[in-house]
Amino acid sequence: MIASSFALGIVLNYAQTNDLIFTFQIVFGTNLNTYLLTVLILFIIYLGIYGIFNRFFYASAFYFIFFLIYAVADRLKVTYRSEPILPSDLLLLKNLKSIMSMVTTQLILAVVVVLIVAIALFVFLERHFGKLTMHFHPVTRLVFIALTAFSIGIFYTASDTNSATYKILAASGYTNSDSNINRSANSNGPMLTFLGNMYVDIMDKPAGYNKQKMLEIVKEYQQEAKSINRDRDNNDLSKQTLIFVLSESFSDPTRVPNIKLNQDPMPNIRGIKDSTTSGLMMSSGYGGGTANMEYMALTGLAMNQFYDTLQSPYTQVVNKQEDPINISNNFKTSAAIHPYHGNFYNRNSVYRNFGIQSFRNLDTKGKLALKYDNTLPGMEYISDDSAYNDALWQINQTSGGQFINLVTMQNHMPYSNDYSSNQFTNTGAGVTEKSRSQVSNYAKGISITDTATKDFLNKLDAIEKPITIVWYGDHLPGIYDNNDMYTYNVQEHETDYFIYSNKYARDHNYGTTKLDDATQVTDPNGFIPLALKQMNQKVTPYYALLTRIQEDVPAMAKNISDNTNSLYVGQDSKEVAEKDLTAKQKKLIDDYKLVQYDLTVGKNYTKKLINK
């Protein structure tokens, strides 16, 4: 089994990198020590499985089938999201059926056939040769199981620099400090990366953090809020309706390097962007990470300021907090709508912890059931038109204002839709020929979103109460498989956004048409201050801080290209090096980090004061 563990280690590394030459360099060259450590762990895991079954062929069947599924899942996640399988992904197994629906039928059938053949083979071998294999004493079996549990359990302290685990891993050449988790997995192997992320710190403690410093920051931004509010007329946000619309995977494919479409798939949204507050949003994800962008938009907190290995605030931060800060807290009525399963990304629990009063999704029934659930021909997800109609229904449930968070689903992967008519074709070296049809299908999907969005805004204009909508795409789809992510780091992390106030809001001084400030490039954490400014709404000290960050600091995102966790991008869509930030910008970022730390894992010195 040691030889099998060696082979399995090669298979797992190849599944991660999909590069045979690079895999052999890892195995026999630059990362030999981490590879040998992976082999040792695999062998110990096998001993534990043997301890459970006490049958060689049954244990072998479970061992190889489990890691075959793991290798396939890791390969798919790397392909579509440029990151490996992580412990935080295990919560998604509650929706295994839904996850499987995102994978092509051909792949599912291939895996099923392999599993059936493998199971049949191992059962045959056990029945005919099982008596020739070793059977261990119960005490020995318990030792094997305990050794496996201990070997996996010690990785819980892998991020603690003072732990023995960390020192052993460091001595082997393993490092988990790279802000690019996929590059880390390529170097260390997916197994060590998975185990090394069983426990991660939420955020490094900023220098100078203490109660006195936080109270000084509160006082400073109380004064900043007074300065901003001199020019703002509205002081009761709850009288207005604010809608956040996260448009799944929406981004302009004509902006992607090395891709050319035969026609524009988003003329309506392009026109909307030209006439209202709009620009590009720096996403901290590619091909996935929807809930992370949603978290930033709702809270105003930044992913790049969390610890570099933290992958999901929804599963790793929010449910550890008491009354976490978010925009819905400013409204008497709040609602969330997602035309998919509610426990994806732990949303059921997260929204409840945010204080959002109702959440309608595929799983809710009765009064909380979705009112519209139509799908487009050839598509499996509920259409954007239906999602928008649900939002319109929600608007009409109260005569006053409210906050609505809508997360759409129509343009989610896979892009294998069989449209009866698709006018879109594409050329260019940005995708392989295997993925070219996906780009065309994706373009067709967003063209349908384009029409539905224009119709939605027209209906909002007909409603006699002030409504402002923050509309944004969360990330690019993971289909541009021939573009080098590091070469096009900024371009492949820019999506589209706009902020639109309906006719009633514009006519009654509850919303402007277009802000002329630094809006060409922003980030999800900049949406709250931009919306409040468009709504002519007074701000709290916390939102005063976010306003200054949005106006005076380059847009920020979680980085993938080097050893710094933060990517800063200027209004010209060009990267800004941290060393080139001004003293004022560095001071704002320091304040921002201190407040974020305090609100998430610190002592909450600012919680009661910073909203006043």
Side-chain angles (χ1 to χ4, degrees), residues 199-226:
Y199 174 82
V200 296
D201 290 327
I202 292 175
M203 189 175 175
D204 286 327
K205 184 178 179 179
Y209 176 75
N210 54 53
K211 184 176 182 179
Q212 181 180 349
K213 177 64 175 177
M214 298 316 300
L215 295 182
E216 289 175 0
I217 288 177
V218 169
K219 185 176 181 180
E220 177 180 353
Y221 288 98
Q222 284 174 335
Q223 295 302 313
E224 196 68 51
K226 289 181 181 179

Short mmCIF file of all heavy atoms in Angstrom, two decimals, residues 199-226:
data_model
loop_
_atom_site.label_atom_id
_atom_site.label_comp_id
_atom_site.label_asym_id
_atom_site.label_seq_id
_atom_site.Cartn_x
_atom_site.Cartn_y
_atom_site.Cartn_z
N TYR A 199 -8.35 24.83 10.12
CA TYR A 199 -8.62 25.96 10.99
C TYR A 199 -7.80 27.15 10.48
O TYR A 199 -6.59 27.02 10.25
CB TYR A 199 -8.24 25.68 12.44
CG TYR A 199 -8.38 26.90 13.32
CD1 TYR A 199 -9.62 27.27 13.82
CD2 TYR A 199 -7.27 27.70 13.62
CE1 TYR A 199 -9.76 28.41 14.61
CE2 TYR A 199 -7.41 28.83 14.40
CZ TYR A 199 -8.65 29.18 14.89
OH TYR A 199 -8.80 30.31 15.66
N VAL A 200 -8.45 28.27 10.29
CA VAL A 200 -7.71 29.45 9.85
C VAL A 200 -8.08 30.62 10.75
O VAL A 200 -9.22 30.72 11.23
CB VAL A 200 -8.03 29.83 8.37
CG1 VAL A 200 -7.57 28.74 7.44
CG2 VAL A 200 -9.52 30.10 8.17
N ASP A 201 -7.12 31.48 10.99
CA ASP A 201 -7.40 32.71 11.70
C ASP A 201 -8.24 33.61 10.81
O ASP A 201 -8.12 33.60 9.58
CB ASP A 201 -6.10 33.42 12.07
CG ASP A 201 -5.33 32.68 13.14
OD1 ASP A 201 -5.98 32.06 14.00
OD2 ASP A 201 -4.09 32.72 13.12
N ILE A 202 -9.09 34.40 11.42
CA ILE A 202 -9.96 35.28 10.64
C ILE A 202 -9.20 36.50 10.15
O ILE A 202 -9.31 36.87 8.98
CB ILE A 202 -11.18 35.70 11.48
CG1 ILE A 202 -12.09 34.47 11.72
CG2 ILE A 202 -11.98 36.81 10.79
CD1 ILE A 202 -13.26 34.76 12.63
N MET A 203 -8.41 37.09 11.02
CA MET A 203 -7.74 38.32 10.64
C MET A 203 -6.55 38.57 11.54
O MET A 203 -6.61 38.31 12.75
CB MET A 203 -8.73 39.49 10.73
CG MET A 203 -8.25 40.80 10.15
SD MET A 203 -9.55 42.06 10.18
CE MET A 203 -8.62 43.48 9.58
N ASP A 204 -5.45 39.02 10.98
CA ASP A 204 -4.30 39.41 11.78
C ASP A 204 -4.65 40.63 12.63
O ASP A 204 -5.32 41.55 12.17
CB ASP A 204 -3.11 39.75 10.88
CG ASP A 204 -2.47 38.51 10.28
OD1 ASP A 204 -2.48 37.46 10.95
OD2 ASP A 204 -1.98 38.60 9.14
N LYS A 205 -4.19 40.63 13.86
CA LYS A 205 -4.42 41.77 14.74
C LYS A 205 -3.57 42.95 14.27
O LYS A 205 -2.35 42.87 14.22
CB LYS A 205 -4.04 41.41 16.17
CG LYS A 205 -4.32 42.50 17.18
CD LYS A 205 -3.97 42.03 18.58
CE LYS A 205 -4.23 43.11 19.62
NZ LYS A 205 -3.90 42.64 20.99
N PRO A 206 -4.21 44.07 13.88
CA PRO A 206 -3.44 45.22 13.39
C PRO A 206 -2.59 45.85 14.50
O PRO A 206 -2.95 45.81 15.68
CB PRO A 206 -4.53 46.20 12.92
CG PRO A 206 -5.77 45.40 12.80
CD PRO A 206 -5.66 44.31 13.83
N ALA A 207 -1.50 46.42 14.11
CA ALA A 207 -0.62 47.10 15.07
C ALA A 207 -1.38 48.26 15.71
O ALA A 207 -2.10 49.00 15.04
CB ALA A 207 0.63 47.61 14.36
N GLY A 208 -1.21 48.41 17.01
CA GLY A 208 -1.81 49.53 17.72
C GLY A 208 -3.23 49.32 18.15
O GLY A 208 -3.88 50.26 18.65
N TYR A 209 -3.76 48.09 17.99
CA TYR A 209 -5.16 47.87 18.36
C TYR A 209 -5.32 47.84 19.88
O TYR A 209 -4.73 47.02 20.57
CB TYR A 209 -5.64 46.54 17.78
CG TYR A 209 -7.06 46.20 18.21
CD1 TYR A 209 -8.15 46.87 17.65
CD2 TYR A 209 -7.30 45.23 19.18
CE1 TYR A 209 -9.44 46.58 18.05
CE2 TYR A 209 -8.58 44.93 19.59
CZ TYR A 209 -9.66 45.61 19.02
OH TYR A 209 -10.94 45.32 19.42
N ASN A 210 -6.14 48.75 20.38
CA ASN A 210 -6.52 48.76 21.79
C ASN A 210 -7.76 49.64 21.93
O ASN A 210 -8.18 50.32 20.98
CB ASN A 210 -5.38 49.24 22.70
CG ASN A 210 -4.84 50.61 22.28
OD1 ASN A 210 -5.60 51.57 22.12
ND2 ASN A 210 -3.52 50.68 22.06
N LYS A 211 -8.33 49.68 23.11
CA LYS A 211 -9.57 50.42 23.33
C LYS A 211 -9.39 51.91 23.08
O LYS A 211 -10.24 52.54 22.43
CB LYS A 211 -10.08 50.17 24.75
CG LYS A 211 -11.43 50.85 25.03
CD LYS A 211 -11.94 50.49 26.41
CE LYS A 211 -13.31 51.13 26.65
NZ LYS A 211 -13.84 50.77 28.00
N GLN A 212 -8.32 52.48 23.58
CA GLN A 212 -8.10 53.91 23.42
C GLN A 212 -8.00 54.29 21.94
O GLN A 212 -8.60 55.28 21.50
CB GLN A 212 -6.83 54.34 24.14
CG GLN A 212 -6.54 55.84 24.03
CD GLN A 212 -5.27 56.24 24.75
OE1 GLN A 212 -4.69 55.46 25.51
NE2 GLN A 212 -4.82 57.48 24.52
N LYS A 213 -7.27 53.48 21.18
CA LYS A 213 -7.12 53.76 19.75
C LYS A 213 -8.46 53.69 19.04
O LYS A 213 -8.77 54.54 18.19
CB LYS A 213 -6.13 52.77 19.12
CG LYS A 213 -5.96 52.92 17.62
CD LYS A 213 -5.36 54.27 17.25
CE LYS A 213 -5.10 54.36 15.76
NZ LYS A 213 -4.57 55.69 15.37
N MET A 214 -9.28 52.70 19.39
CA MET A 214 -10.56 52.55 18.71
C MET A 214 -11.51 53.70 19.05
O MET A 214 -12.25 54.18 18.18
CB MET A 214 -11.20 51.21 19.07
CG MET A 214 -10.39 49.99 18.64
SD MET A 214 -9.71 50.09 16.96
CE MET A 214 -11.21 50.25 15.99
N LEU A 215 -11.48 54.15 20.28
CA LEU A 215 -12.33 55.29 20.65
C LEU A 215 -11.86 56.57 19.95
O LEU A 215 -12.68 57.44 19.61
CB LEU A 215 -12.34 55.46 22.16
CG LEU A 215 -12.98 54.30 22.95
CD1 LEU A 215 -12.98 54.61 24.45
CD2 LEU A 215 -14.41 54.04 22.46
N GLU A 216 -10.57 56.69 19.71
CA GLU A 216 -10.06 57.84 18.95
C GLU A 216 -10.58 57.79 17.51
O GLU A 216 -10.94 58.83 16.93
CB GLU A 216 -8.53 57.82 18.95
CG GLU A 216 -7.90 58.17 20.30
CD GLU A 216 -6.39 58.01 20.28
OE1 GLU A 216 -5.84 57.62 19.22
OE2 GLU A 216 -5.76 58.25 21.33
N ILE A 217 -10.60 56.59 16.93
CA ILE A 217 -11.11 56.44 15.56
C ILE A 217 -12.59 56.77 15.51
O ILE A 217 -13.07 57.45 14.59
CB ILE A 217 -10.84 55.01 15.05
CG1 ILE A 217 -9.35 54.83 14.79
CG2 ILE A 217 -11.65 54.71 13.79
CD1 ILE A 217 -8.97 53.44 14.35
N VAL A 218 -13.35 56.31 16.51
CA VAL A 218 -14.77 56.63 16.56
C VAL A 218 -14.98 58.14 16.59
O VAL A 218 -15.80 58.69 15.84
CB VAL A 218 -15.43 55.98 17.79
CG1 VAL A 218 -16.85 56.53 17.99
CG2 VAL A 218 -15.48 54.47 17.63
N LYS A 219 -14.24 58.82 17.44
CA LYS A 219 -14.38 60.28 17.55
C LYS A 219 -14.04 60.96 16.24
O LYS A 219 -14.72 61.89 15.80
CB LYS A 219 -13.48 60.80 18.67
CG LYS A 219 -13.64 62.28 18.95
CD LYS A 219 -12.79 62.71 20.14
CE LYS A 219 -12.96 64.20 20.43
NZ LYS A 219 -12.13 64.62 21.60
N GLU A 220 -12.98 60.49 15.57
CA GLU A 220 -12.57 61.08 14.30
C GLU A 220 -13.66 60.96 13.24
O GLU A 220 -13.97 61.94 12.53
CB GLU A 220 -11.29 60.41 13.80
CG GLU A 220 -10.83 60.93 12.43
CD GLU A 220 -9.56 60.24 11.95
OE1 GLU A 220 -8.95 59.47 12.72
OE2 GLU A 220 -9.17 60.48 10.78
N TYR A 221 -14.29 59.78 13.15
CA TYR A 221 -15.28 59.59 12.09
C TYR A 221 -16.67 60.07 12.48
O TYR A 221 -17.53 60.23 11.62
CB TYR A 221 -15.27 58.14 11.62
CG TYR A 221 -13.99 57.87 10.83
CD1 TYR A 221 -12.89 57.27 11.44
CD2 TYR A 221 -13.86 58.31 9.52
CE1 TYR A 221 -11.70 57.09 10.74
CE2 TYR A 221 -12.68 58.13 8.81
CZ TYR A 221 -11.60 57.53 9.44
OH TYR A 221 -10.43 57.36 8.75
N GLN A 222 -16.87 60.35 13.75
CA GLN A 222 -18.06 61.09 14.13
C GLN A 222 -17.98 62.50 13.56
O GLN A 222 -18.97 63.04 13.04
CB GLN A 222 -18.20 61.13 15.66
CG GLN A 222 -18.69 59.84 16.28
CD GLN A 222 -18.68 59.86 17.80
OE1 GLN A 222 -17.91 60.61 18.41
NE2 GLN A 222 -19.52 59.04 18.42
N GLN A 223 -16.81 63.10 13.65
CA GLN A 223 -16.61 64.43 13.06
C GLN A 223 -16.68 64.38 11.54
O GLN A 223 -17.23 65.27 10.89
CB GLN A 223 -15.25 64.99 13.51
CG GLN A 223 -15.16 65.26 15.00
CD GLN A 223 -16.24 66.23 15.48
OE1 GLN A 223 -16.49 67.28 14.87
NE2 GLN A 223 -16.90 65.86 16.57
N GLU A 224 -16.14 63.30 10.96
CA GLU A 224 -16.19 63.13 9.51
C GLU A 224 -17.62 63.00 9.03
O GLU A 224 -18.01 63.55 8.00
CB GLU A 224 -15.39 61.89 9.11
CG GLU A 224 -15.05 61.81 7.63
CD GLU A 224 -14.07 62.88 7.20
OE1 GLU A 224 -13.01 63.04 7.84
OE2 GLU A 224 -14.38 63.58 6.21
N ALA A 225 -18.44 62.28 9.80
CA ALA A 225 -19.86 62.12 9.44
C ALA A 225 -20.58 63.47 9.48
O ALA A 225 -21.40 63.78 8.60
CB ALA A 225 -20.53 61.14 10.40
N LYS A 226 -20.27 64.28 10.49
CA LYS A 226 -20.89 65.61 10.56
C LYS A 226 -20.52 66.44 9.33
O LYS A 226 -21.37 67.15 8.77
CB LYS A 226 -20.43 66.33 11.83
CG LYS A 226 -21.02 65.75 13.11
CD LYS A 226 -20.52 66.54 14.33
CE LYS A 226 -21.09 65.95 15.61
NZ LYS A 226 -20.60 66.69 16.82
#
